[in-house]
Amino acid sequence: MPRNSLQVFDPDELEDWFRPSVNHLKDELRVRYQNAVAALTAVLTGTSTLTGAADANHLCRKRLKAMAIRAPKIAPDGRPFGYRVCVPWGTYCAAEPQHTPTMPRRAGPHAMSVMLRCQPKIAEWVEAYRHPLPPGPPPKSFGRLHDKVVAELKRLDLSQYYPLNTDDQGRRALLRYLRRQRIEVEGYDVTDVLSDEPTAPSSLWDAFRGHIFDRTEFDEHRIDVEAVMGVALPNGGIAKKKITMLWLLAEAEVESRAIVSWLLRVGRASNNHDVADCLARGLQPWQRRELTIPGLEYAPGAGMPAGLPGIAGALRSRCVAMDNAKSHHALDLEQAFCRAHDGVLLLGRPHQPRSRPVVEQLFSRLEQGALRMIAGGFEPATRLGDDKVSISGFSPEDHPVQLHLLEELVDVIVANYNATPHPALGSLSPLQYLQMRSQKLGWSYTPADRELGAREMGSVLIPVTIKGNYKDKVMPHVNYLYVKYRSAELDNRWELVGKPLYARIYRNDLRTMVLYQTATKPVGVLRAAAPWAHTRHDETTRKLVHQWSKQPGGLKLVGVECAIQAYMAFLRANATSSQQAVDQLARLQQQHPTLQVPPQKPMALMDTEIRAPRRGWVSLDRKRFR
């Protein structure tokens, strides 16, 4: 007898239970379903324990127990739930409460089911709804049903109860309830809900395929490397600290499988500025780097599509497909894409990586072929309870990473990949395939100035208001991201104070901005006030500096000559106690490799050189003041 309190059934009785039709499911879903059926049968017939059946079929023990409890219960069609609970994503359904329900006050697990039990009239409407519900946005008939439900609840004066007290008034919960019910009730094919393929071909997919650069796919990938960097402390010595995450952003061309652009980032996630920067790299001409790592070389023919001669190097994608991440919806990214890149920005559905198969397979090839060989590289666990497996064989503590050198390595890896024969292209490499297909193009759009297009992709046009006060003699200026911008062109331009104008901001270098009075009439170039005008810095860096300066005992910028150098010294001093400081210091190392020398100790007063004033006239005509 198994050591659990579950009911044991005769095998012949289990044969009469309902089994969903899964003939058209994906292979991976079919395997998961069959494993769940085998585990559930072993537990309910008493031939195995919960733990043994879960381990043998690679299932979660908690999930298997929930399935075993729910399977014998009676479904709404009058039959046991049976093997319907084995369908992926249809198992975590708790049994309905037996006591008299009351209207729920707030959203929570099974709140929609409780509300329907309290309102039999609405439950009849929901039960009578038989329209198809394919993946994606629901049809208009569902919207009419939801509006009818909301109107009835308002008529009953239930505005203080769920779902009227939620933002969407229970629209998403009702949709999930209907789809879950159609999995559990006989008469509906589970493929209507679980299939990742749409019921009809996508018009965008049909419109953007068949020719090179009709479609590119973009995605972010966390590199499977536990990287460690050496932090130079202010008082001397090196501290080895672990980096949180390394991210590789890449854009891949679908027909040729070529990598169009890539970007390396450090931190917990990337933002819309990183996405725009990666897309901008694919627009500008590519050149080989001057490699500083001994023994690192480009393979013959290695390169990027933007470095190809002729029309092949000037092509750009007509459709960029990416996932539904929050950063991809940013207005700054969409504005720059429409102005500088052109084409269609296709945002896919969440949690469906198979809609971008080329870039997903690309990351897998790069990981297995090169990236996991870096010190600290590992293979993630694929089964519950397993540990990750070290691949590189080198300890990250013995080989600290330097981000600017890692960029050299990734650039060589990507360029060499583009020159390697691909199995999907026969004996051709991605670059050879692009060159061959570009010669057959009858006509294609090519920009006149590729550098300008890449620069515009990294810029944003924002409305600004001129600040100033004639009475207090505060000269006209512009405030942007906590910094004042001034120019000689604004001196005594009191008529502009209070007027809305436009400014062009280059997000990779915030030391200057271009002010426009109209779309074609510039006012001038404004420069950031000290200490922000000394070293090039991007939008993300300035925001991080501001966050540190607002914390108690944080970064102080009063009286410093350069904000970036002060920020770097502050991070170096706090790297031993703050993981955020380590990640941000690694990011600065990537952008400014020449600023990594730690500040020297202050000299003693007796060792300071005494400077005597010159004799005669002293002229300051050729001196430049900041």
Side-chain angles (χ1 to χ4, degrees):
M1 185 71 180
R3 292 182 300 173
N4 54 56
S5 58
L6 299 176
Q7 184 179 359
V8 179
F9 295 86
D10 187 81
D12 296 334
E13 184 179 355
L14 299 184
E15 292 294 333
D16 298 333
W17 282 6
F18 171 69
R19 293 174 181 258
S21 175
V22 291
N23 296 329
H24 303 289
L25 282 180
K26 298 289 184 180
D27 292 339
E28 55 270 20
L29 297 183
R30 187 181 300 113
V31 171
R32 291 174 55 187
Y33 170 77
Q34 293 172 349
N35 290 342
V37 169
L40 181 61
T41 302
V43 171
L44 294 182
T45 56
T47 58
S48 177
T49 62
L50 281 171
T51 303
D55 293 343
N57 294 277
H58 313 298
L59 293 179
C60 174
R61 184 184 183 277
K62 182 179 179 181
R63 175 190 170 188
L64 180 58
K65 183 178 180 180
M67 291 163 48
I69 294 175
R70 185 168 177 81
K73 295 184 179 297
I74 302 302
D77 59 354
R79 303 175 60 183
F81 282 99
Y83 291 101
R84 283 175 280 193
V85 299
C86 299
V87 178
W89 309 312
T91 57
Y92 286 96
C93 302
E96 292 77 4
Q98 299 300 326
H99 58 82
T100 302
T102 58
M103 281 293 295
R105 287 280 184 177
R106 62 184 64 185
H110 313 292
M112 180 59 64
S113 301
V114 176
M115 187 275 293
L116 293 177
R117 293 187 64 194
C118 297
Q119 304 296 330
K121 184 177 180 180
I122 297 178
E124 292 180 2
W125 297 344
V126 174
E127 181 67 23
Y129 183 77
R130 297 295 179 181
H131 291 267
L133 288 175
K140 294 182 179 180
S141 59
F142 173 80
R144 292 191 293 268
L145 172 65
H146 178 259
D147 294 340
K148 186 178 180 181
V149 172
V150 170
E152 177 65 16
L153 293 175
K154 289 182 178 179
R155 188 187 68 81
L156 298 174
D157 195 18
L158 298 176
S159 300
Q160 303 299 324
Y161 295 88
Y162 177 84
L164 295 185
N165 57 1
T166 59
D167 294 337
D168 63 346
Q169 296 183 326
R171 180 182 176 88
R172 287 176 293 180
L174 180 60
L175 181 61
R176 288 196 301 267
Y177 176 83
L178 285 171
R179 285 176 170 167
R180 187 175 66 245
Q181 288 297 108
R182 295 187 179 189
I183 296 177
E184 298 172 349
V185 178
E186 183 179 8
Y188 286 91
D189 190 355
V190 296
T191 57
D192 294 340
V193 180
L194 300 180
S195 177
D196 291 336
E197 297 295 334
T199 55
S202 173
S203 59
L204 283 178
W205 177 257
D206 291 339
F208 295 100
R209 65 175 180 179
H211 302 283
I212 58 174
F213 281 97
D214 274 354
R215 173 188 170 103
T216 57
E217 297 176 358
F218 174 87
D219 203 356
E220 300 98 342
H221 172 72
R222 178 182 175 181
I223 304 178
D224 298 333
V225 172
E226 291 183 337
V228 173
M229 70 170 297
V231 180
L233 301 178
N235 297 326
I238 301 294
K240 297 180 180 179
K241 308 297 292 185
K242 182 180 295 185
I243 298 175
T244 303
M245 296 180 189
L246 282 174
W247 294 89
L248 178 63
L249 289 71
E251 180 187 6
E253 204 277 324
V254 172
E255 294 296 324
S256 64
R257 272 68 170 177
I259 301 178
V260 179
S261 61
W262 64 273
L263 187 68
L264 195 64
R265 278 294 176 260
V266 180
R268 296 191 177 276
S270 57
N271 53 26
N272 68 87
H273 178 208
D274 299 330
V275 177
D277 194 9
C278 183
L279 296 179
R281 290 190 176 191
L283 303 181
Q284 61 186 3
W286 179 83
Q287 295 180 353
R288 294 193 174 191
R289 302 191 181 200
E290 295 183 2
L291 303 179
T292 59
I293 302 178
L296 187 65
E297 296 180 355
Y298 290 99
M304 301 289 288
L308 294 176
I311 189 177
L315 295 175
R316 60 180 60 178
S317 174
R318 299 177 180 86
C319 175
V320 180
M322 55 182 63
D323 59 21
N324 204 30
K326 186 177 180 180
S327 60
H328 300 167
H329 291 270
L331 294 179
D332 290 345
L333 173 62
E334 294 180 0
Q335 178 194 132
F337 183 87
C338 296
R339 183 183 63 254
H341 191 287
D342 293 329
V344 177
L345 191 62
L346 180 59
L347 300 179
R349 298 171 183 170
H351 311 299
Q352 292 192 10
R354 284 187 294 274
S355 62
R356 298 170 302 279
V358 174
V359 70
E360 293 292 342
Q361 181 64 24
L362 167 67
F363 286 135
S364 177
R365 291 172 62 90
L366 291 179
E367 282 281 6
Q368 298 177 8
L371 297 180
R372 290 178 183 171
M373 304 303 173
I374 302 174
F378 63 91
E379 181 179 353
T382 57
R383 296 181 178 179
L384 188 66
D386 292 351
D387 296 329
K388 55 188 176 184
V389 180
S390 178
I391 298 298
S392 66
F394 297 96
S395 172
E397 299 287 343
D398 299 334
H399 303 275
V401 68
Q402 300 184 42
L403 268 298
H404 61 287
L405 298 181
L406 183 59
E407 275 197 330
E408 287 189 12
L409 176 62
V410 175
D411 188 68
V412 173
I413 292 175
V414 170
N416 291 351
Y417 162 83
N418 285 337
T420 303
H422 197 284
L425 307 176
S427 59
L428 297 178
S429 68
L431 294 182
Q432 292 173 341
Y433 184 86
L434 287 177
Q435 286 181 302
M436 181 187 68
R437 292 290 298 272
S438 63
Q439 298 174 0
K440 300 180 181 180
L441 293 176
W443 177 88
S444 182
Y445 165 72
T446 56
D449 191 343
R450 299 165 60 188
E451 288 284 358
L452 179 61
R455 183 172 174 83
E456 290 295 314
M457 186 65 200
S459 69
V460 61
L461 188 66
I462 61 170
V464 296
T465 302
I466 305 299
K467 305 293 183 179
N469 193 305
Y470 176 78
K471 182 178 180 181
D472 297 337
K473 300 302 179 182
V474 178
M475 285 294 178
H477 62 276
V478 172
N479 294 329
Y480 177 71
L481 274 184
Y482 327 111
V483 176
K484 180 186 295 185
Y485 285 79
R486 283 275 299 115
S487 175
E489 285 82 357
L490 290 181
D491 289 348
N492 298 318
R493 298 288 301 273
W494 305 109
E495 72 278 4
L496 297 178
V497 175
K499 290 187 176 181
L501 303 180
Y502 287 94
R504 173 77 65 194
I505 305 294
Y506 294 96
R507 306 173 72 184
N508 286 325
D509 190 354
L510 297 187
R511 291 178 296 179
T512 59
M513 70 166 56
V514 183
L515 189 66
Y516 289 88
Q517 191 166 2
T518 64
T520 59
K521 183 179 180 181
V523 177
V525 178
L526 279 62
R527 191 171 183 85
W532 296 97
H534 187 273
T535 305
R536 177 182 61 85
H537 59 282
D538 60 9
E539 180 182 283
T540 305
T541 301
R542 181 177 290 184
K543 291 179 180 179
L544 293 174
V545 172
H546 180 73
Q547 292 176 6
W548 283 109
S549 64
K550 291 301 180 182
Q551 296 183 6
L555 174 62
K556 304 297 183 183
L557 298 179
V558 179
V560 302
E561 181 180 1
C562 176
I564 305 304
Q565 293 181 352
Y567 172 53
M568 187 170 295
F570 175 82
L571 295 179
R572 189 178 291 110
N574 291 270
T576 56
S577 59
S578 174
Q579 183 60 48
Q580 293 182 353
V582 175
D583 295 340
Q584 296 174 23
L585 190 62
R587 185 176 181 276
L588 282 182
Q589 182 191 70
Q590 180 183 4
Q591 297 179 348
H592 306 284
T594 59
L595 298 181
Q596 298 305 309
V597 180
Q600 302 295 329
K601 295 182 180 180
M603 299 177 61
L605 181 61
M606 299 301 295
D607 299 334
T608 305
E609 181 182 358
I610 300 178
R611 298 182 179 180
R614 301 179 181 178
R615 295 184 178 182
W617 291 97
V618 177
S619 175
L620 300 178
D621 294 340
R622 298 187 178 182
K623 295 293 182 181
R624 184 176 179 180
F625 298 94
R626 295 177 181 150

